[in-house]
Amino acid sequence: MSEKTKSGALYEDVIDAPEMKIAELVGGDLYLSPRPAMRHSKVASVLGADLSDAFNRGRTGPGGWWILDEPELHFGGDVLVPDIAGWRRERLPEIPDAGWMELAPDWLCEVLSPSTERFDRRLKLPLYAAAGVEHLWLLDPGIQTLEVYGRMGASWVLLESHRGDATVHAPPFEAVGIELAPVW
């Protein structure tokens, strides 16, 4: 479970967090989450590999993106770690040699788990919208769903929802069909 462990936290508290936890800062509060379970990691890895092959490497699709696993994002005083994030190369010509990124991704994906879903939906999603992320996907391996959101101002609008073994052409990656069956 993602739990608030300290108010008035600083980035040093993120650095000093236990090794087997994911540390994030939201509104000055330190939240610690367990490392992802194997099923969660598998879902993120398979989707990330599919997107990377098509959009990062351009082998099976158009390329033009950087796709990264668990990047540390700094938005003002908030520090967030999505499961996967992507930047269009036209906005980010090369990956900086740094421990975190301040430029908001164009797209990101959170893999929901019972221990993190509430934290992801209630606390992180509004911060992603405020930072300027345009596209957001939520994957739920427990019920095998993909929710596709687009940003409208400071809010998210559900654009599409897919279940089970669908082949998806979802924004911003409409150019390639992503098969969900192998993801689960």
Side-chain angles (χ1 to χ4, degrees), residues 45-65:
S45 294
V46 171
L47 177 65
D50 286 350
L51 291 173
S52 185
D53 200 40
F55 294 94
N56 189 17
R57 295 185 186 138
R59 290 183 186 162
T60 60
W65 286 77

Side-chain angles (χ1 to χ4, degrees), residues 33-72:
S33 303
R35 295 290 313 155
M38 291 299 116
R39 183 177 187 189
H40 181 118
S41 292
K42 182 237 181 209
V43 167
S45 294
V46 171
L47 177 65
D50 286 350
L51 291 173
S52 185
D53 200 40
F55 294 94
N56 189 17
R57 295 185 186 138
R59 290 183 186 162
T60 60
W65 286 77
W66 297 111
I67 306 291
L68 301 178
D69 295 332
E70 296 186 350
E72 185 173 301

Side-chain angles (χ1 to χ4, degrees), residues 93-143:
E94 61 182 57
I95 301 292
D97 186 17
W100 64 81
M101 183 77 71
E102 293 179 353
L103 179 66
D106 295 289
W107 165 87
L108 61 77
C109 179
E110 291 285 4
V111 178
L112 303 176
S113 66
S115 65
T116 63
E117 181 175 10
R118 185 180 187 128
F119 177 66
D120 288 342
R121 286 187 185 274
R122 291 190 178 183
L123 294 179
K124 292 172 76 173
L125 266 59
L127 294 173
Y128 291 146
V133 176
E134 292 293 328
H135 303 277
L136 173 90
W137 291 8
L138 297 178
L139 282 171
D140 189 330
I143 57 173

Side-chain angles (χ1 to χ4, degrees), residues 7-91:
S7 294
L10 303 170
Y11 187 64
E12 288 76 28
D13 296 305
V14 170
I15 294 169
D16 294 338
E19 192 173 307
M20 294 307 296
K21 299 284 186 176
I22 294 175
E24 298 176 285
L25 284 176
V26 176
D29 296 329
L30 178 67
Y31 288 84
L32 297 178
S33 303
R35 295 290 313 155
M38 291 299 116
R39 183 177 187 189
H40 181 118
S41 292
K42 182 237 181 209
V43 167
S45 294
V46 171
L47 177 65
D50 286 350
L51 291 173
S52 185
D53 200 40
F55 294 94
N56 189 17
R57 295 185 186 138
R59 290 183 186 162
T60 60
W65 286 77
W66 297 111
I67 306 291
L68 301 178
D69 295 332
E70 296 186 350
E72 185 173 301
L73 305 176
H74 289 218
F75 302 141
D78 297 316
V79 176
L80 305 172
V81 182
D83 290 299
I84 314 169
W87 290 261
R88 295 178 192 272
R89 290 188 186 196
E90 61 199 29
R91 285 187 58 238

Side-chain angles (χ1 to χ4, degrees), residues 113-178:
S113 66
S115 65
T116 63
E117 181 175 10
R118 185 180 187 128
F119 177 66
D120 288 342
R121 286 187 185 274
R122 291 190 178 183
L123 294 179
K124 292 172 76 173
L125 266 59
L127 294 173
Y128 291 146
V133 176
E134 292 293 328
H135 303 277
L136 173 90
W137 291 8
L138 297 178
L139 282 171
D140 189 330
I143 57 173
Q144 296 186 350
T145 59
L146 166 63
E147 298 172 13
V148 177
Y149 292 88
R151 185 173 58 84
M152 292 280 233
S155 300
W156 293 106
V157 175
L158 179 64
L159 303 175
E160 304 174 14
S161 183
H162 303 277
R163 294 187 67 86
D165 62 356
T167 297
V168 176
H169 292 267
F173 302 116
E174 301 96 326
V176 173
I178 302 296

